[in-house]
Amino acid sequence: MSAVLDHHDHAHDHEHHAPTGWRRWVYATNHKDIGTLYLLFAFTMLMVGGVLAMLIRAELYQPGLQLVNPELFNQLTTMHGLIMVFGAIMPAFVGFANWMIPLQIGASDMAFARMNNFSFWLMIPAGLTLMLSFFMPGGAPAAGWTLYAPLTLQMGPSMDAGIFAMHLLGASSIMGSINIIVTILNMRAPGMTLMKMPMFCWTWLITAYLLIAVMPVLAGAITMTLTDRHFGTSFFNPAGGGDPVMYQHIFWFFGHPEVYIMILPAFGIVSHIIPAFARKRLFGYASMVYATGSIAILSFVVWAHHMFTTGMPVTGQLFFMYSTMLIAIPTGVKVFNWIATMWKGSMTFETPMLFAVGFLFVFTMGGFTGLILSVAPIDIQLQDTYYVVAHFHYVLVAGSLYAMFAGFYYWCPKWTGVMYNESRGKIHFWWSLISFNVTFFPMHFLGLAGMPRRYADYPMQFADFNALASVGALFFGLAQVYFFLFVAIPAMRGIGPKAVASPWEGAEGLEWEVPSPAPFHTFETPPKLNAAANKVIG
């Protein structure tokens, strides 16, 4: 059947020549081109956010003020968080969705091709606005990535620029989500029922609903901040009868589902890679789908576990403590299913599998530290310490970012038509894994010893672990530069052995039925599927 599809797609290549030059990218409506644009934008922002992180760690290398003053330090921490969350992690997953969802469900493209183009190009002015805010009077926003009032009410004009950028990024996310939902629900190949759909499509379908539910909440919170700043309202200004804690409630009602928006697509990627390299079907497919849905629903009822120190009544603390513990159950189901998939499998450890197993190990550690923070009396001690910093970097860097690297190595042959360099991929993995743990593991001890986050200086007793973390961070950053220069660029330039349509022995799914690289137009006529399995029937 691959041969039939191959002939079919090459026939279309003669009818529809891919546009060339700058017009191909500026006017892009092809899901593959837009996916590539998203991934390149996300990696660029990852590097920018990484440079800010390097400056933070350079300042914290020794006690005393070394390089930056405390005001600039707060700007660096704020912009590092905003750029990494909204400029790197989220756009990268949208890039994966654009590339893979139509290929996985047998659709010719995304449902709304022009809106797809618009949602990408909104990100460029937003990203530039965030980066250039450093050069505005008073410097960049310095209220933490959570943009807490009343600090936001006291910032300079860069705060307004930041709010504008967040609105643009939110609009982009909502349009992308609508596109993904309509594509998945309306454009699946005949015979692909929802419960036969690849896990990556399921996780993104649920993520897209989460985005549509919570991005307007963030938009509301930052718009209220804007009117407090310029139009005389007092939503969050205590001087006018407002309540800064109300801002925290509204922000975290967005912020906690946002955490799952950044991890659910990672779960989807890992759910493809582990079965492929264990040469087994995913264990408990239906339970994975229900667990993903459960996580999404529960994510709406746990937001105030970020707020145990705000004077919450004990009844409220108990509710949010137990509901936070409850969310560990569907997450545990997923981890159990991945391990059960590997159990007695015929496993090999190519780079995608290394990153997937690395994800499993380090994400689980991050999950356990989160479970510890769910206990209100412990959280009150550890609130706003480096323990929290260690926890969320274990979940987001080793969670989201490792899964993205796993996905890149797994689908790279389909995207580029060549195999990446395996030995360089393994160097990238081990270099990243070791330097990541050297960076963030000591932060647990710093937090337990009481070192608060977002401080530019600290007493002598925290010096050794901070120096270790700073050195680890430098090596972790260099590992990503190595990946870009020696793995990604050669693959994008087509340097390497040519990839066959299905380079991985255990991989299943429609994306492996089309040639590598995937032709500019795929599935012009939807493939017909065998109802028992997602196999193309001739």
Side-chain angles (χ1 to χ4, degrees), residues 3 51 58 68 89 99 128 214 218 338 340 355 377 415 430 459 490 513 530:
V51 168
V68 298
I89 300 285
W99 246 107
L128 287 172
V214 301
L218 176 67
W338 289 322
F355 268 105
W415 296 348
W430 288 110
E513 301 281 346
N530 178 344

Side-chain angles (χ1 to χ4, degrees), residues 62 70 76 160 189 216 252 264 293 332 423 516:
Q62 287 181 312
L76 291 172
D160 305 321
W252 285 116
L264 290 180
S423 55
S516 298

Side-chain angles (χ1 to χ4, degrees), residues 139 242 258 282 301 356 406 426:
E258 165 67 16
L282 180 66
V301 295
K426 286 181 171 162

Side-chain angles (χ1 to χ4, degrees), residues 204-499:
W204 242 117
L205 179 66
I206 291 166
T207 301
Y209 276 114
L210 278 180
L211 273 165
I212 288 174
V214 301
M215 288 314 288
V217 177
L218 176 67
I222 58 178
T223 304
M224 290 153 88
T225 302
L226 194 68
T227 60
D228 274 11
R229 285 169 56 82
H230 297 293
F231 300 108
T233 57
S234 291
F235 291 112
F236 311 129
N237 186 355
D243 184 3
V245 176
M246 181 173 78
Y247 176 86
Q248 294 193 30
H249 278 290
I250 301 170
F251 179 86
W252 285 116
F253 189 78
F254 147 80
H256 205 79
E258 165 67 16
V259 173
Y260 292 98
I261 286 163
M262 290 189 283
I263 200 66
L264 290 180
F267 290 168
I269 292 171
V270 170
S271 298
H272 284 268
I273 293 169
I274 287 177
F277 292 94
R279 280 123 180 118
K280 282 174 66 183
R281 275 289 178 77
L282 180 66
F283 181 89
Y285 171 89
S287 65
M288 286 293 245
V289 173
Y290 296 134
T292 309
S294 307
I295 288 170
I297 292 162
L298 286 170
S299 73
F300 283 101
V301 295
V302 298
W303 79 89
H305 66 210
H306 299 267
M307 299 171 54
F308 284 143
T309 55
T310 56
M312 189 189 299
V314 172
T315 315
Q317 290 189 6
L318 285 171
F319 171 81
F320 287 107
M321 182 167 98
Y322 293 139
S323 60
T324 305
M325 291 176 175
L326 197 62
I327 212 164
I329 295 171
T331 314
V333 167
K334 287 182 164 299
V335 173
F336 172 82
N337 285 7
W338 289 322
I339 293 169
T341 305
M342 291 190 282
W343 181 253
K344 294 193 174 176
S346 177
M347 284 202 291
T348 53
F349 291 96
E350 289 88 346
T351 310
M353 186 62 162
L354 284 176
F355 268 105
V357 174
F359 161 89
L360 197 55
F361 167 64
V362 194
F363 172 78
T364 304
M365 284 175 62
F368 277 127
T369 55
L371 202 54
I372 289 164
L373 288 170
S374 74
V375 182
I378 299 176
D379 181 82
I380 288 165
Q381 298 299 313
L382 297 174
Q383 170 84 6
D384 268 335
T385 67
Y386 265 76
Y387 189 90
V388 178
V389 178
H391 155 67
F392 70 70
H393 281 88
Y394 264 78
V395 177
L396 280 181
V397 181
S400 302
L401 193 64
Y402 277 24
M404 285 178 206
F405 285 135
F408 171 84
Y409 285 107
Y410 183 58
W411 284 310
C412 171
K414 187 57 58 187
W415 296 348
T416 62
V418 296
M419 296 300 291
Y420 62 87
N421 186 303
E422 185 67 52
S423 55
R424 289 178 185 175
K426 286 181 171 162
I427 289 169
H428 175 222
F429 168 72
W430 288 110
W431 188 351
S432 294
L433 185 74
I434 293 165
S435 57
F436 169 82
N437 281 290
V438 170
T439 305
F440 293 104
F441 198 73
M443 291 186 190
H444 293 101
F445 301 116
L446 287 170
L448 289 166
M451 180 174 166
R453 62 177 174 166
R454 298 181 185 161
Y455 278 39
D457 192 9
Y458 53 87
M460 198 64 210
Q461 70 257 33
F462 300 135
D464 293 346
F465 276 150
N466 267 301
L468 189 63
S470 291
V471 172
L474 177 64
F475 278 98
F476 185 73
L478 290 173
Q480 310 330 313
V481 175
Y482 172 86
F483 160 76
F484 187 67
L485 294 179
F486 298 106
V487 180
I489 286 181
M492 288 190 286
R493 291 177 59 198
I495 299 168
K498 293 283 175 274

Side-chain angles (χ1 to χ4, degrees), residues 3-316:
V4 176
L5 282 168
D6 192 272
H7 170 267
H8 170 84
D9 285 312
H10 283 300
H12 272 87
D13 267 0
H14 294 302
E15 293 167 36
H16 306 287
H17 278 295
T20 54
W22 60 270
R23 282 183 179 80
R24 171 175 180 178
W25 302 102
V26 173
Y27 300 138
T29 51
N30 184 286
H31 71 96
K32 302 177 185 74
D33 284 354
I34 294 173
T36 303
L37 286 169
Y38 266 110
L39 289 167
L40 289 171
F41 172 80
F43 193 82
T44 304
M45 296 300 270
L46 183 77
M47 290 294 103
V48 173
V51 168
L52 302 183
M54 291 300 102
L55 290 169
I56 293 166
R57 287 313 321 170
E59 174 55 55
L60 293 172
Y61 179 64
Q62 287 181 312
L65 294 178
Q66 320 291 326
L67 301 171
V68 298
N69 60 34
E71 290 78 17
L72 180 54
F73 185 85
N74 287 341
Q75 294 171 30
L76 291 172
T77 53
T78 300
M79 298 311 292
H80 166 71
L82 289 173
I83 285 171
M84 287 301 202
V85 169
F86 296 103
I89 300 285
M90 289 171 69
F93 279 135
V94 178
F96 275 99
N98 264 292
W99 246 107
M100 299 316 303
I101 287 172
L103 285 179
Q104 290 190 331
I105 64 173
S108 58
D109 207 312
M110 298 295 281
F112 305 116
R114 286 187 182 85
M115 186 168 82
N116 206 9
N117 175 290
F118 185 44
S119 65
F120 170 74
W121 285 109
L122 274 182
M123 306 204 78
I124 303 297
L128 287 172
T129 304
L130 280 178
M131 290 188 281
L132 294 174
S133 65
F134 278 105
F135 305 102
M136 293 181 180
W145 84 274
T146 50
L147 304 177
Y148 272 3
L151 277 174
T152 43
L153 310 182
Q154 301 158 11
M155 293 284 128
S158 65
M159 191 69 232
D160 305 321
I163 289 171
F164 179 61
M166 302 300 291
H167 274 301
L168 289 180
L169 292 166
S172 170
S173 290
I174 290 169
M175 284 191 284
S177 301
I178 292 168
N179 216 342
I180 287 165
I181 290 169
V182 175
T183 303
I184 290 175
L185 294 184
N186 289 355
M187 297 176 69
R188 298 191 309 282
M192 184 181 284
T193 61
L194 282 174
M195 292 307 282
K196 296 284 181 200
M197 200 162 68
M199 268 311 297
F200 182 65
C201 298
W202 258 118
T203 54
W204 242 117
L205 179 66
I206 291 166
T207 301
Y209 276 114
L210 278 180
L211 273 165
I212 288 174
V214 301
M215 288 314 288
V217 177
L218 176 67
I222 58 178
T223 304
M224 290 153 88
T225 302
L226 194 68
T227 60
D228 274 11
R229 285 169 56 82
H230 297 293
F231 300 108
T233 57
S234 291
F235 291 112
F236 311 129
N237 186 355
D243 184 3
V245 176
M246 181 173 78
Y247 176 86
Q248 294 193 30
H249 278 290
I250 301 170
F251 179 86
W252 285 116
F253 189 78
F254 147 80
H256 205 79
E258 165 67 16
V259 173
Y260 292 98
I261 286 163
M262 290 189 283
I263 200 66
L264 290 180
F267 290 168
I269 292 171
V270 170
S271 298
H272 284 268
I273 293 169
I274 287 177
F277 292 94
R279 280 123 180 118
K280 282 174 66 183
R281 275 289 178 77
L282 180 66
F283 181 89
Y285 171 89
S287 65
M288 286 293 245
V289 173
Y290 296 134
T292 309
S294 307
I295 288 170
I297 292 162
L298 286 170
S299 73
F300 283 101
V301 295
V302 298
W303 79 89
H305 66 210
H306 299 267
M307 299 171 54
F308 284 143
T309 55
T310 56
M312 189 189 299
V314 172
T315 315

